[in-house]
Amino acid sequence: MVEIKTDAALDAMRVAGRVVGDALAAVRAAAAPRMRLLDLDEVARTVLREAGATSPFLNYRPSFAPTPFPAVICISVNDAIVHGIPDTYRLRDGDLVSIDCGAIVDGWAGDAALSFTIGTPRPEDRRLMDTTRQALEAGIAAAVVGARIGDIAHAIGSIGRAAGYGIPEDFGGHGIGRRMHEDPPVPNDGRPGRGFRLRHGLVIAIEPMFLAGGGNDYYAATDGWTLRTSDGSRAAHFEHTVAITDEGPRVLTLP
């Protein structure tokens, strides 16, 4: 069931969203060569703890997962697309890193992600990240009252396909509110004019993820969580929690 939020709920979700934005900014600032992924998770834990927030990621266990998720952020490096588990891996110059973070404050959730490189990015990585970020911006611009979910999906997918990137078909955005994952699903590719009609008070997470090799295929790593590109190419992932309002899309997860 799709839940439409009140204006007061949107303001409450903005509080949670700001914590997510702050956590991502802190992790991005701390990321450097030789930094362990576990240490970046601790950076995010500190931001959430100091804000009085909890994590919707920690101990989350959807049907596909063999174990509960053990961290407050997903860290996906290079050929990892999403759901990477922070471990003892130490970042290296040139790594392409995607960080996904969520927070819950007073019962309301926020969810966002960003990608960046350690050190100077390779030109092909910069193009991949820039294109994925542009697709997120296009998806947000399409998130207006009276449009449909398919319009968002088409805006994202058109940019990714035109650039020659792959788009994993089974993963995309979602509704969000008191739970991190709610209806409706928000695909990253699709036909315009189809799907749920957008209304004031609907809140969705829009999250394009593009694969540099051009194929859509991926596989689950041995940890049962991390999704990796089948061709070994790199991936990028950007996400914001966005409220549909009569005044236009309202991004809730900015710092």
Side-chain angles (χ1 to χ4, degrees), residues 23-79:
L24 287 173
V27 170
R28 173 67 183 91
R34 301 291 299 165
M35 174 71 76
R36 297 191 314 164
L37 303 188
L38 279 171
D39 295 330
L40 292 180
D41 184 67
E42 186 56 39
V43 170
R45 286 176 188 253
T46 298
V47 173
L48 267 61
R49 183 170 58 250
E50 292 180 349
T54 58
S55 170
F57 289 17
L58 185 63
N59 295 320
Y60 178 60
R61 189 177 183 181
S63 59
F64 67 80
T67 58
F69 195 77
V72 304
I73 55 175
C74 299
I75 308 181
S76 305
V77 181
N78 296 332
D79 66 324

Side-chain angles (χ1 to χ4, degrees), residues 126-217:
R126 186 188 300 276
R127 177 176 177 267
L128 174 64
M129 291 186 294
D130 287 348
T131 303
T132 311
R133 187 185 300 108
Q134 290 165 11
L136 173 59
E137 293 169 353
I140 293 171
V144 297
V145 171
R148 293 185 179 272
I149 290 293
D151 297 320
I152 298 173
H154 180 71
I156 293 169
S158 295
I159 289 176
R161 297 300 184 197
Y165 295 138
I167 303 174
E169 296 178 358
D170 300 324
F171 290 88
H174 48 87
I176 184 171
R178 291 199 176 274
R179 292 178 292 114
M180 180 171 59
H181 292 141
E182 298 183 350
D183 289 330
V186 185
N188 286 326
D189 200 8
R191 298 178 63 181
R194 297 194 171 194
F196 188 83
R197 188 176 295 279
L198 308 184
R199 296 168 49 192
H200 178 92
L202 175 67
V203 185
I204 54 178
I206 301 174
E207 52 177 320
M209 49 195 80
F210 292 163
L211 317 185
N216 304 329
D217 295 336

